[in-house]
Amino acid sequence: QAQLVESGGGSVEAGGSLKLSCKFHRLYIASAVCLAWFRQAPGKRRVGVAYGDGMYADSVRGRFTLTLDHRENTVNLQMDNVKPEDSAMYYCAADLKIGGGSCRAREYDYWGQGTQVTVSS
């Protein structure tokens, strides 16, 4: 069974940077049709923020960057100029289905357990 394990979360001050990593086990990132990072703040629904096809949510575009490390089989999310509203649990996700629609619209098959990001003002 494939497993995705996030790391890199923590506390950071507004304007700072943080790098999240998602290590894939028993699944190659090259096998995924779509890769993504989502986040969920308390009391709010989970939303996508960055996608492997280069798309980003308006709220993070220009500040967050999703990158792939094929050697380490890892998907990273570089978060720069963070804001208090970026505070949330962050999840990586992967989907292997061919023809499942755009990366922003599809249902993802594999999820990590999440890593918490807290941004203080």
Side-chain angles (χ1 to χ4, degrees):
Q1 181 73 9
Q3 186 179 21
L4 281 58
V5 180
E6 299 98 336
S7 62
S11 297
V12 62
E13 293 186 351
S17 297
L18 207 60
K19 182 179 179 180
L20 307 183
S21 293
C22 177
K23 178 73 172 178
F24 280 48
H25 299 273
R26 294 180 291 281
L27 177 66
Y28 289 113
I29 61 174
S31 301
V33 174
C34 283
L35 297 161
W37 282 93
F38 288 75
R39 69 186 182 189
Q40 186 170 21
K44 296 187 177 181
R45 65 181 181 90
R46 186 168 58 191
V47 295
V49 295
Y51 300 89
D53 59 0
M55 301 299 291
Y56 294 88
D58 291 342
S59 58
V60 307
R61 188 177 297 114
R63 300 187 298 118
F64 289 11
T65 305
L66 185 155
T67 59
L68 308 181
D69 186 336
H70 290 276
R71 188 180 68 173
E72 297 294 329
N73 206 33
T74 297
V75 181
N76 300 309
L77 184 68
Q78 178 66 41
M79 306 168 61
D80 296 318
N81 190 23
V82 295
K83 303 176 181 180
E85 52 264 42
D86 294 324
S87 296
M89 185 71 78
Y90 282 74
Y91 301 89
C92 62
D95 189 57
L96 278 60
K97 296 186 295 293
I98 297 173
S102 71
C103 292
R104 299 187 72 160
R106 65 174 53 205
E107 296 289 331
Y108 283 74
D109 289 335
Y110 298 96
W111 293 85
Q113 83 289 349
T115 187
Q116 179 68 41
V117 172
T118 302
V119 182
S120 58
S121 58

